[in-house]
Amino acid sequence: MKQIKKIILLSILIIVAICQLSNNVFAYTIEEVKEMINYHTVEEDGEPEDYDILIDSSLLKDYVEVPNIRTTIEPILYNNDGVYGLLNINFFDLSAGSSNTEWGTIASFVRTFFRVSLYIAAAGMLTLLIYMAVVLVSASISSKDKTIMPMGGAVLGGNGNPRKRQREKSLVEQWILSVILLALIAFIINLSISFSGIINNIATSNPVSSDSIVIYVADLGGEENPDEADIDTTDAYYFTTNIEGALMFQTQYDWKDNAVENITNFICGMTLTIFKIFIYVVFLIRMLLVAVLIAIAPIVILVSAFDKIYGNRGYIKDWFKLLLYLLLLRPIVGILYYLLIQTKPNLVTNAPFYMFFIVILLIIAIIVSIKMAYRSVKKTAGDIGKRVNSKK
């Protein structure tokens, strides 16, 4: 049966791949592409005032193509607009959802769930306060020393069991702390999100453009040192692109003499593309996890308060550590990428394997940090399970 399902699924995929659902083709015109990449010829517009990479056209194949890559890694790391708005985590910003409908729906759900959770937690705290008041009043009327948990000797006085009295005292303390946390939780979350945004802005203090690398192509006569070359600008041109585009463009060297350079640039370009997909998925999962953590925050405060009454450490610290980790994940990756790769276009294109190793190290670091966060969550969940089983 499983084999039949696989065959049917494979057949459907093949049919969809061969028989396209739409026969409409959308593409940019040559002039639109030239405008997008700021394509200029030296003959018409003169030499560029400044450029990042100078390429010897005599080493390229006869017919080259200029890249026009629109889906770059920079917006994934730094932007919250358009399709990348789905990576936004500022769920309390009422104006943020206008750039992405799907994210706006998620943000609205998070705010609603957070509000409901806050009401439930507030009702729990109010119920506990009423219970405390009832016990105090009944104790003042009755001559008996009431030491029934969750209130008792610690509130009413008397010679109750010391362990019970300690728990009762802890209950009063946790009630006060929980009420304060519930009143400030929205402010704390907003402050934490703003802090992560400030860190992210460190990498974008100078505006980050997805097409920020200027490539100048001219005939250097085969000279390795541009300063010693007599540059022939007869057919010279220049355009702007990104790191992926620069690596793609440099896979067009003459294969006869520069096969190693072509293969190296191709491997590094593919690595960067894979990293782009990987990091987008990670940040998408990050957004969903932050949404859950924010939505359940008041409930966590309520449950943690009762957990601490019985001498346990509660869940507030674990919840905040996980939230802080998720908030800082994107800014830190963005800063590392900016410092190690984006600010060094010449090094990346002249020594592509530098970028390859940096990207691999970033992927490894992200995976290791995710595993550490997962182990922390798993340990907390295990502790909760042990406590529940011990009370049965």
Side-chain angles (χ1 to χ4, degrees):
M1 189 64 183
K2 291 183 178 179
Q3 294 295 330
I4 295 175
K5 289 182 179 179
K6 289 181 180 179
I7 293 173
I8 294 174
L9 180 60
L10 183 60
S11 301
I12 294 173
L13 291 175
I14 292 173
I15 292 172
V16 171
I18 297 175
C19 307
Q20 298 296 315
L21 300 178
S22 174
N23 58 2
N24 295 323
V25 177
F26 300 94
Y28 296 117
T29 64
I30 298 296
E31 295 303 320
E32 287 175 333
V33 171
K34 287 184 176 180
E35 184 178 354
M36 288 178 179
I37 64 174
N38 295 316
Y39 180 88
H40 299 283
T41 61
V42 174
E43 184 179 359
E44 294 181 358
D45 304 299
E47 292 189 85
E49 295 180 3
D50 191 19
Y51 57 85
D52 297 296
I53 302 170
L54 178 59
I55 295 178
D56 187 355
S57 60
S58 65
L59 300 178
L60 300 173
K61 63 183 184 180
D62 293 336
Y63 299 98
V64 297
E65 299 174 348
V66 291
N68 180 30
I69 300 176
R70 296 291 96 192
T71 55
T72 61
I73 194 171
E74 286 84 1
I76 297 176
L77 295 174
Y78 308 114
N79 291 0
N80 288 319
D81 299 324
V83 66
Y84 304 105
L86 198 57
L87 306 179
N88 191 10
I89 56 172
N90 193 1
F91 297 102
F92 292 144
D93 186 357
L94 299 178
S95 63
S98 59
S99 61
N100 189 287
T101 306
E102 291 81 4
W103 186 88
T105 303
I106 296 174
S108 178
F109 175 81
V110 170
R111 289 192 293 268
T112 301
F113 199 99
F114 176 83
R115 192 180 300 112
V116 172
S117 299
L118 190 60
Y119 290 157
I120 293 173
M125 292 293 104
L126 181 61
T127 302
L128 189 56
L129 179 63
I130 294 173
Y131 175 80
M132 292 167 62
V134 170
V135 172
L136 287 171
V137 171
S138 62
S140 64
I141 297 174
S142 173
S143 59
K144 294 182 179 180
D145 182 21
K146 297 183 179 292
T147 57
I148 300 174
M149 282 293 292
M151 300 302 298
V155 175
L156 308 174
N159 299 317
N161 185 292
R163 187 177 178 185
K164 285 186 178 181
R165 293 181 63 182
Q166 181 61 36
R167 288 181 178 177
E168 292 162 355
K169 180 181 178 181
S170 177
L171 175 61
V172 176
E173 293 174 350
Q174 290 305 316
W175 184 88
I176 296 173
L177 291 175
S178 298
V179 170
I180 294 173
L181 275 176
L182 287 174
L184 297 177
I185 187 62
F187 174 76
I188 293 172
I189 291 174
N190 275 321
L191 188 63
S192 302
I193 293 174
S194 299
F195 176 68
S196 69
I198 291 172
I199 295 179
N200 192 61
N201 290 335
I202 294 175
T204 56
S205 54
N206 295 322
V208 177
S209 173
S210 59
D211 299 320
S212 56
I213 300 175
V214 179
I215 294 183
Y216 181 26
V217 183
D219 189 353
L220 305 181
E223 290 286 346
E224 295 184 359
N225 189 351
D227 296 331
E228 298 176 358
D230 184 14
I231 301 178
D232 183 1
T233 60
T234 304
D235 297 318
Y237 56 92
Y238 53 95
F239 59 93
T240 58
T241 185
N242 47 64
I243 292 178
E244 291 174 74
L247 292 169
M248 179 184 293
F249 184 79
Q250 292 186 94
T251 61
Q252 301 182 92
Y253 287 110
D254 187 352
W255 279 89
K256 183 179 179 181
D257 300 321
N258 302 281
V260 175
E261 288 82 354
N262 284 344
I263 294 173
T264 301
N265 286 304
F266 176 78
I267 292 174
C268 294
M270 285 300 298
T271 302
L272 191 58
T273 300
I274 293 171
F275 178 67
K276 176 176 61 179
I277 298 171
F278 167 78
I279 206 68
Y280 184 85
V281 173
V282 169
F283 289 164
L284 185 62
I285 296 174
R286 163 186 178 261
M287 181 273 295
L288 295 174
L289 290 176
V290 170
V292 172
L293 290 176
I294 291 176
I296 66 172
I299 300 298
V300 172
I301 294 173
L302 179 64
V303 174
S304 180
F306 283 96
D307 190 60
K308 284 187 175 182
I309 292 171
Y310 292 93
N312 299 316
R313 60 190 182 91
Y315 315 118
I316 294 294
K317 288 184 180 179
D318 295 329
W319 170 85
F320 187 70
K321 282 167 59 178
L322 181 58
L323 178 65
L324 199 60
Y325 163 77
L326 293 171
L327 292 180
L328 296 178
L329 179 61
R330 189 183 184 196
I332 290 177
V333 173
I335 290 175
L336 291 175
Y337 180 85
Y338 181 82
L339 294 176
L340 299 176
I341 295 180
Q342 196 171 23
T343 57
K344 297 176 174 60
N346 281 308
L347 182 57
V348 170
T349 53
N350 293 331
F353 271 114
Y354 164 79
M355 185 223 63
F356 175 82
F357 287 118
I358 293 298
V359 168
I360 294 299
L361 286 175
L362 284 175
I363 292 176
I364 293 174
I366 292 170
I367 292 175
V368 170
S369 67
I370 290 174
K371 288 182 67 176
M372 291 175 63
Y374 171 74
R375 287 175 184 172
S376 178
V377 172
K378 187 177 180 181
K379 182 178 181 299
T380 302
D383 292 342
I384 295 173
K386 290 179 182 177
R387 294 168 196 170
V388 173
N389 292 329
S390 65
K391 294 177 182 178
K392 288 183 179 180

